[in-house]
Amino acid sequence: MLPVDMLNGYLLKHNIILPISVSQLYKFFILHLIFLRFLFFPNLFKTSLILVLILIIPSFFQILYQLKAAFFFHDIVSVSKYTTPFFSFLFFSNVIINNEQEKSIVKIFDLVRVSYVVLILNIFIKYFGFGFPMYEHGDIGSKGFFYAGNEVSVLFLILASILAHGLWKKRNKIKYYLFLLLNLAVALTISSKTAIFGIVLVFFLIPLKRISFKSISKKRLKLLFFYGILFIIVSFLSWKVIINSAVFSRISFFWESLDFWTFILSGRNIFFADALETYIHKYNFIEKVLGVGQSTYEQLNNGKIVEIDIIDIFFTYGFPGAFLFVSSIIFFLVKLINLSKTNQYSHCNFVYMMTFILLFVSITAGHVFNSGLSAIFLGLLLSMIFLKKE
């Protein structure tokens, strides 16, 4: 999938606009294959179909309200972005549960490994004069040949965390710390807050989750002390690299120009205030309840979205969309907690940790649950709760 996204990014950057992008075409093909599998599992097929129909209701209403349908395909693409993580989760969960063979599990992790290599090669290609910068002004950072920079950071966090957790589970501590250094280099090359702070947080939480705080022994206190010192050292070295890089000038400029929350949210609080005004004054009663669909939402807000997933979902798909999103997360967390109590599943704590990290990214930076680049891998990550210890 990632080479297709690279081709798509290259075409878009060179203003080669096709009626349907190669990435959209390929991902529709992938979704078609997923639905073919769902046909053999009626409950999965019905659940997926009902979800799509609920989210497409605002677009049908806009067709009747505006008496035009030119925007409908764009809305279908938007619905597919929001639903692909869910479909991917159902697909990989079904594979893990129903194909309890080592071969299937190996293929899943091979997909992660190959995709990770493709991703970091894209990031490091900047040092050879290729690819696109994360921020055009000042030629700061790198996103390889991918088009959506924010989505690159999320994809990086997902792939790196899965591989890091595997190394820690196998007790390959030397490889784990070398892998940390590699990913710090990748994050600093990307130069986004999500990538830099996210990767440091992930790598230090993976070991700490093994410690039980019910009975703090001397050995555990030593481990806490060791990881605390290591965290300080890595943070200090990362900071020294950052302040000597071009990205620091960009951060300093915005820090001096903006208030605290506007800086932390990169202006998304301002976008939210504008979108809320639009919602109050330009949505009619039905639209306030059901949403307006992606195209109308963007049109009413001059082409801008808030880039906070739950807020964009609410303004786009109304109360039904927001309810489905929140209830799905709650249902998933309840299922995860129940599985972890059985002590049969090896990845529950890891997925629990990553779920909250990604939810935090979703609230502060967005592009997590509507990312075309990382959607399949997000579903894969969440499905790992069904991997058994043996």
Side-chain angles (χ1 to χ4, degrees):
M1 293 197 316
L2 296 190
V4 173
D5 279 309
M6 289 166 57
L7 174 61
N8 188 67
Y10 182 84
L11 293 175
L12 290 176
K13 275 290 184 178
H14 289 81
N15 295 315
I16 302 175
I17 310 299
L18 304 174
I20 176 172
S21 73
V22 291
S23 180
Q24 290 170 352
L25 185 63
Y26 184 70
K27 284 166 187 172
F28 275 127
F29 172 68
I30 294 293
L31 287 176
H32 175 71
L33 294 180
I34 289 176
F35 268 87
L36 280 179
R37 182 178 176 89
F38 286 174
L39 287 174
F40 296 94
F41 302 91
N43 287 336
L44 298 184
F45 182 77
K46 290 176 185 175
T47 302
S48 303
L49 190 60
I50 290 171
L51 177 63
V52 171
L53 290 175
I54 290 174
L55 294 183
I56 211 69
I57 286 174
S59 301
F60 280 125
F61 176 76
Q62 289 302 316
I63 291 175
L64 297 174
Y65 186 66
Q66 299 182 31
L67 296 178
K68 60 180 182 179
F71 57 83
F72 189 66
F73 178 74
H74 179 62
D75 282 11
I76 290 289
V77 172
S78 173
V79 169
S80 72
K81 285 184 178 181
Y82 279 109
T83 54
T84 297
F86 180 72
F87 298 153
S88 174
F89 167 72
L90 294 181
F91 171 79
F92 284 109
S93 298
N94 185 263
V95 169
I96 292 170
I97 294 170
N98 292 286
N99 294 275
E100 298 196 3
Q101 300 176 7
E102 190 175 345
K103 189 181 294 184
S104 298
I105 309 303
V106 168
K107 285 182 179 179
I108 288 174
F109 282 99
D110 282 346
L111 172 62
V112 173
R113 291 188 191 96
V114 171
S115 300
Y116 175 81
V117 171
V118 172
L119 176 64
I120 65 167
L121 288 177
N122 264 271
I123 303 305
F124 285 140
I125 206 169
K126 174 187 177 71
Y127 297 117
F128 299 93
F130 300 101
F132 314 126
M134 177 65 71
Y135 307 106
E136 295 287 348
H137 183 70
D139 191 30
I140 298 171
S142 171
K143 57 182 178 180
F145 287 107
F146 300 114
Y147 187 74
N150 288 331
E151 297 181 18
V152 167
S153 298
V154 174
L155 176 62
F156 168 59
L157 278 182
I158 291 172
L159 296 177
S161 67
I162 294 173
L163 296 178
H165 181 254
L167 289 174
W168 188 260
K169 275 179 61 64
K170 293 176 182 177
R171 301 178 184 274
N172 291 328
K173 293 187 178 181
I174 294 177
K175 289 184 179 179
Y176 182 81
Y177 295 124
L178 290 175
F179 193 54
L180 165 61
L181 295 176
L182 170 64
N183 284 288
L184 281 173
V186 176
L188 291 169
T189 305
I190 293 173
S191 297
S192 76
K193 295 194 295 288
T194 299
I196 295 171
F197 295 114
I199 208 66
V200 172
L201 186 62
V202 165
F203 268 82
F204 283 98
L205 285 180
I206 287 176
L208 288 181
K209 73 179 178 58
R210 295 168 58 90
I211 298 172
S212 172
F213 291 94
K214 293 180 180 178
S215 57
I216 303 290
S217 65
K218 288 184 178 180
K219 183 178 179 181
R220 287 171 179 146
L221 281 173
K222 288 178 181 178
L223 279 173
L224 278 174
F225 180 76
F226 171 74
Y227 289 122
I229 294 297
L230 190 61
F231 179 81
I232 293 170
I233 292 172
V234 171
S235 299
F236 176 75
L237 292 176
S238 299
W239 177 248
K240 293 294 286 185
V241 173
I242 290 171
I243 62 175
N244 291 303
S245 66
V247 71
F248 183 73
S249 300
R250 184 178 187 273
I251 292 173
S252 299
F253 172 78
F254 285 110
W255 175 257
E256 293 169 1
S257 305
L258 307 172
D259 62 81
F260 177 77
W261 284 112
T262 305
F263 171 78
I264 293 296
L265 296 173
S266 300
R268 291 176 178 86
N269 54 330
I270 298 173
F271 297 153
F272 169 66
D274 293 340
L276 184 61
E277 283 292 310
T278 300
Y279 174 79
I280 293 171
H281 296 109
K282 295 185 180 180
Y283 285 42
N284 61 39
F285 176 75
I286 296 177
E287 290 172 337
K288 285 178 179 175
V289 175
L290 296 179
V292 294
Q294 187 70 31
S295 298
T296 305
Y297 171 47
E298 291 178 8
Q299 180 185 345
L300 291 173
N301 288 280
N302 300 315
K304 294 180 180 179
I305 61 174
V306 178
E307 295 187 37
I308 295 176
D309 290 344
I310 180 60
I311 293 174
D312 286 326
I313 289 171
F314 175 72
F315 287 143
T316 306
Y317 304 110
F319 285 97
F323 174 78
L324 283 172
F325 179 71
V326 174
S327 60
S328 296
I329 291 174
I330 293 173
F331 177 80
F332 172 77
L333 289 173
V334 170
K335 181 69 175 177
L336 191 158
I337 292 169
N338 289 334
L339 286 177
S340 64
K341 290 178 181 178
T342 65
N343 203 31
Q344 297 179 22
Y345 300 89
S346 58
H347 287 67
C348 285
N349 289 336
F350 165 67
V351 177
Y352 187 79
M353 175 196 79
M354 287 304 300
T355 300
F356 280 98
I357 289 176
L358 291 173
L359 281 173
F360 179 76
V361 174
S362 169
I363 293 169
T364 56
H367 300 285
V368 174
F369 295 95
N370 67 336
S371 167
L373 189 61
S374 62
I376 292 288
F377 299 97
L378 175 57
L380 186 157
L381 169 69
L382 299 179
S383 72
M384 291 171 69
I385 61 172
F386 294 107
L387 287 173
K388 292 185 176 180
K389 287 185 176 181
E390 66 270 17

